[in-house]
Amino acid sequence: MTLYQQFSQVLDEQQLMHGKIIVGFSGGVDSRVLLRLAARYSKQHSKACLAVHVHHGLSDNADEWQAQCERWAQEEAVEFACERVTLSQGSGESLEQSARQARYQALGQHIQSGDILLTGQHLDDQAETMLLALKRGSGPKGLSSMASSMDFGLGKLVRPLLNTARQDIELYAQHEQLQWVEDESNTDTRFDRNFLRQTVLPVLNQRWPSFAQAASRSARLCAKQERLLKELLLPELEVCLGEFLGLNISTMSSHSILKREQLLRLWLEANTSLMPTEVQLRNIWQEVALAKQDANPEMNLAGGAIRRAQGHLYWVEAHEDVSDWQQSWPDNDTLVLPDNLGVLKLVSPSKDAKVTLDRQTLSGSLKVIFNPEGLSAHPHGRAGSRKLKKLFQELKIPSWQRRRIPILMQGDKVVAVGNLFVDKAFYGSDCELVWDK
């Protein structure tokens, strides 16, 4: 089977209907071959094709590479786009990891529903990825290395060359008389992947010529084991989930340590891309789940934190502090809240309306804030006024959510709080305050 036949078989399996083909196009030999294959496939099947080049600015040759990639895309009659990214330094990540994350984020901006993103990783890349996972001490999930296809944004990420050796890709490029860029950083063995490629894998392949194929087979077996484990444990995870997808600590306590840690991993997998280490998993349970009852424990992980409230563990995404935010609000408008917290609007009351107001009481200028400090309210239907802090505690609002609930104010008086309650002085049946999250 030729390389193009293998490529076509992979893409045919994706059953691409109305979406387009997007090629992650660095200009190296792998992506250059990928572009040629994708261009040929798109012409034969009348599919739109887009080559996206990510300009990291790490090399003095970066501008020249961009120009060459654009020229090659034109030669293939493929639409071209370039994304310039700036890598964050000092974040604790390696330069390789930072560049990879920036690259996929940039590529993801071009993916719409039904699209497939093609990247040029091959059989030798898979072996390198598995060795890097071994170096990190990864478990079966990490040793699964790269999937041949996976959901990505609104579409899918597909690696059609994953079972093709680097040597075969280079032979194809030479046969097609293709040109490509040579990134000088690829010979820099200070980078782990380059060290493996230049120093370790040649020795392994000389001793065991089928090493890359064997590593790929092991990765597939690990991936199958992970999928089976997930299939078996998902129903048990559902039993442990409470309101707002929190993990019930009491239910989790009934499981063995082994199962509990796997359930924690499965739960976190839906929330963050970087899995916790063994030590972090133990600490999540010992220092957060089993902390003293009057404590407010927290453990920070990549992209968020683990918190505890009302006997449950919660994943809280990293977010902006909106405590000082405030905005005047003409009540005939929809108010867009900061940090993706939704919108506020006043509408005609619905059948099950909870927060309804008397428009005649809304005589002064209104504003919306998030800081409850020092404020009091007398919720309609309850006796007496209380501090918002106490009301939040009574309503069992987790501490980390209390400064992310919009508070409607008239002067220095609380009118209503989110979708929780309306103050007695402003209660009526004329309109409903809706917090659409």
Side-chain angles (χ1 to χ4, degrees), residues 180-401:
W180 59 87
V181 301
E182 293 285 358
D183 187 341
E184 69 277 3
S185 69
N186 286 340
T187 60
D188 188 347
T189 54
R190 290 177 299 174
F191 298 116
D192 290 342
R193 188 174 288 275
N194 290 344
F195 173 73
L196 290 174
R197 185 176 303 163
Q198 303 291 335
T199 308
V200 177
L201 277 171
V203 177
L204 295 177
N205 288 327
Q206 184 177 13
R207 174 78 181 203
W208 301 295
S210 299
F211 177 81
Q213 287 88 343
S216 180
R217 185 166 60 251
S218 292
R220 286 197 303 274
L221 291 172
C222 286
K224 285 182 177 180
Q225 186 181 57
E226 277 296 296
R227 289 198 297 270
L228 175 61
L229 198 57
K230 188 173 184 177
E231 183 179 318
L232 294 173
L233 287 180
L234 270 178
E236 298 209 38
L237 180 63
E238 292 291 333
V239 174
C240 296
L241 291 177
E243 194 177 10
F244 307 117
L245 302 180
L247 273 183
N248 188 297
I249 295 172
S250 177
T251 306
M252 290 284 286
S253 297
S254 66
H255 295 303
S256 67
I257 294 175
L258 191 64
K259 181 182 285 189
R260 187 169 65 230
E261 288 187 348
Q262 195 62 36
L263 287 170
L264 272 171
R265 284 193 183 96
L266 197 57
W267 177 64
L268 285 168
E269 186 181 331
N271 296 295
T272 178
S273 59
L274 296 178
M275 284 294 97
T277 64
E278 284 184 299
V279 173
Q280 286 174 324
L281 276 176
R282 285 197 297 269
N283 290 343
I284 287 171
W285 191 252
Q286 295 297 327
E287 299 179 11
V288 182
L290 302 184
K292 293 181 180 179
Q293 288 302 310
D294 58 351
N296 186 21
E298 176 181 7
M299 175 174 287
N300 292 310
L301 295 174
I306 309 291
R307 306 290 297 264
R308 186 190 69 182
Q310 286 88 50
H312 287 73
L313 292 177
Y314 292 94
W315 170 258
V316 183
E317 287 189 358
H319 53 70
E320 176 187 338
D321 182 2
V322 296
S323 299
D324 295 331
W325 187 91
Q326 60 178 279
Q327 181 72 49
S328 59
W329 185 30
D331 62 22
N332 59 332
D333 292 337
T334 295
L335 181 65
V336 179
L337 301 173
D339 201 31
N340 298 314
L341 285 171
V343 298
L344 280 182
K345 51 189 174 182
L346 287 173
V347 300
S348 298
S350 62
K351 181 181 178 181
D352 301 318
K354 183 177 180 181
V355 182
T356 58
L357 298 89
D358 180 357
R359 275 193 181 274
Q360 292 185 347
T361 64
L362 303 177
S363 55
S365 61
L366 299 176
K367 67 178 179 180
V368 175
I369 65 173
F370 285 92
N371 190 350
E373 189 172 348
L375 298 178
S376 299
H378 184 168
H380 169 71
R382 296 188 53 155
S385 176
R386 287 178 175 82
K387 293 285 188 183
L388 290 194
K389 180 180 178 180
K390 291 292 185 183
L391 289 170
F392 283 150
Q393 289 174 345
E394 292 175 18
L395 293 168
K396 296 183 178 180
I397 305 298
S399 60
W400 61 87
Q401 291 182 356

Side-chain angles (χ1 to χ4, degrees), residues 383-423:
S385 176
R386 287 178 175 82
K387 293 285 188 183
L388 290 194
K389 180 180 178 180
K390 291 292 185 183
L391 289 170
F392 283 150
Q393 289 174 345
E394 292 175 18
L395 293 168
K396 296 183 178 180
I397 305 298
S399 60
W400 61 87
Q401 291 182 356
R402 295 173 190 172
R403 289 175 180 259
R404 295 182 65 78
I405 299 174
I407 304 168
L408 180 59
M409 304 286 296
Q410 181 172 273
D412 60 354
K413 296 180 180 178
V414 173
V415 176
V417 178
N419 50 12
L420 298 175
F421 61 81
V422 58
D423 188 271

